[in-house]
Amino acid sequence: MSETPRAPALQRAPARGRVGKRTRRIAWLAPALLMLPGAALFAVVVLSSAVQSLWISLHDWDGFGGMRWVGLGNYAELWRDPAFRVSLRNNLVWFGMFMLAPPLGLALALATSQPIAGFRTMRSLFYLPLVLSSVTVGVIFSWIYVPDYGLLAQIWELWGGVAPAPLSSERWVTPAIALAALWPQVAFAMVLYMAGLTTLDAEQIGAARIEGARGWSLLWHVVLPQLRPVTLVAFAIAALGSLNSFDMVSVMTKGGPYGSSSVLAWQMFEQSISSYRMGYGAAIATVILLLSSAFITLYVRRMVRP
Amino acid sequence: MSIDQPNQSAWRAGGRLSRRAFGAGAMASLTSAGAFPAPALAQNAPVTVIWAEGNPNFDVLEAIAAEFTAATGTPVSLNNMDHEAHKIAIRNYLVAGPPEITFWFAGERTRAFAARGLFSDLSDLYDREGYAGIIGPYAESVSFEDRPYGLPLGVTLWGLFYRRDVLGPGGIPLPATWDELLSYGEAARAAGLDPISMGSKELWPVHTLMTNISLRTLPLDKHLGLYRGQVAWTDPDVARVFDNLGELSRRNFFTPNHTSFDWLEAGVFLANKEAGMLHTGAFIRDAFRPEERDQLAFTAFPVFDPGVGRSEETTINSIHICANAPNQDGARDFLAFFYAPEQLGRYIAPSGALLPRNDMAQPTDPISAQMVESLATVVGTSLNFDLEANPDMTTAALPLFQEFLVNPDRQADILDRLEAARARIYG
């Protein structure tokens, strides 16, 4: 599977002695030229800003005055900062909840691909959150969560219970926001798996059925192994999405109540923009970069090694 | 591209390039190469204004700008920015491409930019127009090291707002002392009302309430010392401020789950008779339906300790000239025109705020009249925490204030964390 992308380049590489010097040079030149715009853009937009951010994180800087060298001072302060620990812990909660997206997406994809009347409509309903912007999703969910007159409170009232206020609770606020973000994420995983299901090898499944594989064992031993590349992508995207959880927090709570729903990306924004602490914000950015690099490295290694 | 523009137009416009024109063009190209159009060499260089007060006053400002252009021939270009986005953008544009005029806030918000040389020293304009005698005590709120760096606009006095048909004569009595405040709380609860409406989602309603409680608990100089970072949060007197606020929280004075509601929802709770009082400013009338606005009434915050002189909490918006903007003379002319009684009165009227000039008649509606009377007899005033404290301290402290209001039993820990932030920021 994963060899397909590099195969054409290998085939075209001139290996025979009859091919002249000139052709060989062109063979080297063409891919380089094709890569150049992307590589240049990546170098300017991503690499140079990452290096600059790393440089800023070693300074005390308010964004317009002079920069004062503090070495690893920002990182030392980060280590002791209780707000940073809250953000890191919340990112873990986000990560844990986002890991539910691939299995839930697979379940939905399997369910809605059954030949039962009405499931096609169901599928487009499940697909709906994906076309909503995350800000819209955040606003809708914060309306649902409003104490007293939100949808959640009204459901509770039907049973005569006291409505919870998830966005006011230190403990539940992060799961409540992550749940809102999970909604489109599950839809995304579902779409990935639906595409994956169309590529299944019918012969293998037929053979497995003849051997007596049914239900769970068919899914586990025959279908899932074939979906492995899709699963890998779904988990990688969910993991990176959980690190990237800024917009929902910003729309739904702005890190509140009293910072208990803050995540790394939000804390970085707040420190650099509201507190005029570019260096400290850059130090948080570096932590985010390290964490996401870890995921990306894992992902790329899996992709390259079949 | 835009860097070359002013020089080219200088060449083109006159045909003959004087040294001064070239200098002006070159300076403009250096300072405003960016978002704002650089002035060409013309009879009158234009004045660019950035406005972000987010209220109905913009229409009035447009009219005033048109009148200024008609009177002087100086073109004015107005930019209407989103209120919150402007707070972030201003630090970029003040350095990279400043307009001539910007709307901003008094207090530390002004001092922070004045100290960095980003706002223009307006001493010359104050002398020319005689502002010192006209603005009086408000000049201090836009000054840094005794020099004025802006002009104060609308003044908002903070206090308790209530509905006439719920509180006061015929209803629950208005509290005037600490003990009356506590018994008011019980009476309000008995009547099915939240004693004080609170929507702390955006954090600031907590520090504005705390400012009033601090002013009633501490002498003004100690209160200002605390807000400006000179007094430790672990000081025993400061603990009394938190004791008082914590007491109200323990007695369930505030809207349940108030961290889920914003300030406007808190206003709606008051309007809908779900809460008895709301600590806010006159702008809260927007939460009331127009036909119900005459129900809205104001009372000063109760006195806790007669030994502490009565000081009140205000917020003041302001207008400034950016130090690095090219057209300093045009900016001063515009400011003088805008700040004349006729224009200033028209501009401030829709917001319900009080006027900063003492040579103008204050609005005569009952609430404004009460506020004018209240301000006439105060020992002094303090801006709220957001405008008095360093912005870095504000970001650190506001969530802690909210945490305290929800969990008053964490007082010792919260005060330690506030003190740690103060030591880092002011230390």
Side-chain angles (χ1 to χ4, degrees):
Chain A
M1 237 1 236
S2 55
E3 273 174 20
T4 358
R6 56 181 181 188
L10 286 175
Q11 279 162 7
R12 246 172 251 158
R16 296 200 187 119
R18 271 192 63 207
V19 179
K21 229 178 179 179
R22 193 192 180 101
T23 325
R24 204 170 298 162
R25 195 189 302 144
I26 290 172
W28 163 86
L29 199 64
L33 276 178
L34 286 173
M35 277 172 63
L36 192 67
L41 202 65
F42 182 77
V44 172
V45 178
V46 180
L47 273 186
S48 75
S49 3
V51 170
Q52 197 185 7
S53 160
L54 203 66
W55 178 245
I56 293 173
S57 77
L58 303 174
H59 293 83
D60 186 15
W61 186 40
D62 62 4
F64 29 41
M67 290 166 80
R68 192 171 61 87
W69 175 264
V70 292
L72 293 175
N74 284 323
Y75 294 92
E77 193 189 329
L78 212 53
W79 185 250
R80 292 188 305 265
D81 185 353
F84 175 70
R85 250 167 280 153
V86 169
S87 303
L88 203 60
R89 198 193 61 212
N90 285 339
N91 266 112
L92 273 178
V93 173
W94 274 80
F95 179 76
M97 288 194 56
F98 265 45
M99 288 301 103
L100 296 175
L104 289 175
L106 175 64
L108 284 180
L110 287 171
T112 55
S113 49
Q114 304 302 317
I116 298 175
F119 269 35
R120 200 175 274 271
T121 323
M122 290 286 280
R123 188 189 292 181
S124 46
L125 283 179
F126 283 120
Y127 180 76
L128 198 67
L130 207 55
V131 296
L132 297 177
S133 92
S134 55
V135 170
T136 316
V137 174
V139 170
I140 292 174
F141 266 78
S142 51
W143 287 341
I144 291 177
Y145 290 147
V146 173
D148 300 352
Y149 52 86
L151 183 65
L152 194 69
Q154 289 183 1
I155 292 173
W156 245 258
E157 263 168 41
L158 284 182
W159 299 331
V162 178
L167 297 189
S168 283
S169 153
E170 257 175 80
R171 176 182 294 180
W172 294 111
V173 64
T174 296
I177 302 170
L179 185 71
L182 193 59
W183 186 40
Q185 196 72 37
V186 168
F188 186 61
M190 181 189 79
V191 172
L192 284 180
Y193 276 115
M194 280 188 328
L197 287 174
T198 60
T199 66
L200 288 184
D201 186 348
E203 278 180 29
Q204 267 193 36
I205 293 178
R209 279 191 198 278
I210 291 169
E211 298 289 331
R214 296 234 160 269
W216 279 110
S217 65
L218 183 71
L219 178 70
W220 190 254
H221 295 293
V222 183
V223 175
L224 272 185
Q226 290 194 55
L227 289 175
R228 198 175 153 272
V230 180
T231 309
L232 193 61
V233 173
F235 273 107
I237 287 177
L240 291 177
S242 74
L243 271 174
N244 194 10
S245 45
F246 172 83
D247 35 12
M248 291 281 189
V249 173
S250 169
V251 170
M252 293 178 72
T253 61
K254 297 199 188 303
Y258 40 88
S260 46
S261 66
S262 174
V263 288
L264 291 176
W266 172 259
Q267 200 189 355
M268 169 188 78
F269 168 81
E270 200 171 47
Q271 289 295 330
S272 345
I273 304 297
S274 314
S275 278
Y276 300 58
R277 300 184 73 196
M278 289 294 170
Y280 199 59
I284 302 173
T286 308
V287 173
I288 300 176
L289 180 72
L290 287 178
L291 288 174
S292 44
S293 309
F295 287 120
I296 293 168
T297 312
L298 268 176
Y299 172 69
V300 170
R301 282 184 57 175
R302 283 288 188 105
M303 284 296 272
V304 171
R305 267 193 294 161
Chain B
M1 281 297 278
S2 64
I3 290 175
D4 296 331
Q5 204 178 14
N7 288 347
Q8 282 173 358
S9 45
W11 284 106
R12 257 189 258 117
R16 181 177 60 91
L17 179 71
S18 74
R19 184 186 235 167
R20 181 158 172 251
F22 179 79
M27 199 191 103
S29 67
L30 282 176
T31 53
S32 61
F36 302 101
L41 184 70
Q43 198 65 33
N44 278 323
V47 170
T48 303
V49 179
I50 291 190
W51 178 91
E53 296 212 294
N55 55 25
N57 307 23
F58 188 71
D59 299 341
V60 185
L61 181 64
E62 271 187 318
I64 293 173
E67 288 161 23
F68 176 72
T69 306
T72 61
T74 301
V76 178
S77 126
L78 284 183
N79 295 283
N80 181 352
M81 270 190 82
D82 170 66
H83 189 69
E84 296 298 323
H86 177 245
K87 291 180 185 171
I88 295 165
I90 187 168
R91 285 178 297 142
N92 270 328
Y93 74 63
L94 281 183
V95 175
E100 273 73 23
I101 305 266
T102 186
F103 284 76
W104 193 232
F105 308 100
E108 179 62 27
R109 296 284 181 125
T110 292
R111 291 193 288 271
F113 289 139
R116 290 178 166 96
L118 297 172
F119 281 162
S120 182
D121 181 347
L122 298 185
S123 300
D124 54 333
L125 187 68
Y126 271 59
D127 289 344
R128 195 177 102 191
E129 305 287 331
Y131 286 145
I134 295 166
I135 301 167
Y138 296 125
E140 197 268 330
S141 72
V142 285
S143 294
F144 172 67
E145 291 178 344
D146 293 327
R147 303 182 77 82
Y149 284 85
L151 284 166
L153 295 176
V155 179
T156 300
L157 174 68
W158 291 66
L160 292 168
F161 285 76
Y162 62 95
R163 282 186 68 113
R164 279 178 215 290
D165 53 357
V166 177
L167 264 58
I172 305 168
L174 286 170
T177 65
W178 171 252
D179 289 333
E180 284 176 21
L181 183 64
L182 295 185
S183 52
Y184 155 78
E186 281 165 29
R189 279 267 166 243
L193 300 168
D194 295 327
I196 294 181
S197 188
M198 173 59 74
S200 68
K201 188 172 185 176
E202 284 137 333
L203 303 176
W204 62 256
V206 186
H207 78 71
T208 53
L209 174 67
M210 197 168 83
T211 301
N212 235 328
I213 290 181
S214 173
L215 284 171
R216 291 293 183 267
T217 312
L218 302 175
L220 182 63
D221 54 346
K222 184 133 196 180
H223 161 87
L224 287 175
L226 176 70
Y227 272 33
R228 293 175 184 176
Q230 296 137 7
V231 170
W233 291 87
T234 45
D235 185 294
D237 288 342
V238 175
R240 289 194 291 124
V241 176
F242 282 76
D243 289 342
N244 286 338
L245 183 58
E247 183 67 22
L248 299 183
S249 173
R250 282 191 198 90
R251 288 174 182 250
N252 296 322
F253 258 67
F254 305 108
T255 310
N257 295 318
H258 55 77
T259 56
S260 285
F261 301 109
D262 63 29
W263 65 273
L264 199 55
E265 285 171 294
V268 173
F269 294 150
L270 181 71
N272 288 350
K273 303 186 187 178
E274 293 169 43
M277 297 197 290
L278 174 64
H279 180 261
T280 186
F283 55 84
I284 200 63
R285 61 186 183 180
D286 290 339
F288 279 64
R289 283 189 290 276
E291 66 272 19
E292 282 208 311
R293 284 198 186 144
D294 57 344
Q295 284 294 342
L296 186 66
F298 166 83
T299 179
F301 207 75
V303 174
F304 293 178
D305 177 356
V308 175
R310 190 176 67 87
S311 304
E312 291 296 350
E313 173 183 1
T314 56
T315 47
I316 303 173
N317 294 352
S318 55
I319 186 168
H320 304 270
I321 295 178
C322 307
N324 299 327
N327 188 3
Q328 293 289 321
D329 293 340
R332 279 163 171 72
D333 291 342
F334 177 81
L335 218 54
F337 183 85
F338 173 80
Y339 212 69
E342 203 265 324
Q343 281 80 355
L344 187 68
R346 268 160 62 207
Y347 175 76
I348 293 180
S351 69
L354 301 179
L355 299 162
R357 292 184 66 130
N358 59 21
D359 57 349
M360 292 171 69
Q362 293 289 356
T364 50
D365 61 282
I367 292 178
S368 299
Q370 239 177 312
M371 289 179 166
V372 171
E373 194 189 307
S374 172
L375 278 174
T377 55
V378 291
V379 174
T381 59
S382 163
L383 299 171
N384 63 29
F385 189 75
D386 195 26
L387 299 187
E388 287 289 1
N390 178 303
D392 191 1
M393 186 68 205
T394 308
T395 314
L398 260 48
L400 291 171
F401 292 167
Q402 190 196 37
E403 181 168 0
F404 175 75
L405 198 67
V406 178
N407 305 291
D409 44 318
R410 295 185 195 164
Q411 179 168 339
D413 174 49
I414 286 171
L415 287 174
D416 284 345
R417 284 159 72 187
L418 284 167
E419 180 55 21
R422 186 188 77 94
R424 171 175 67 75
I425 292 159
Y426 294 94

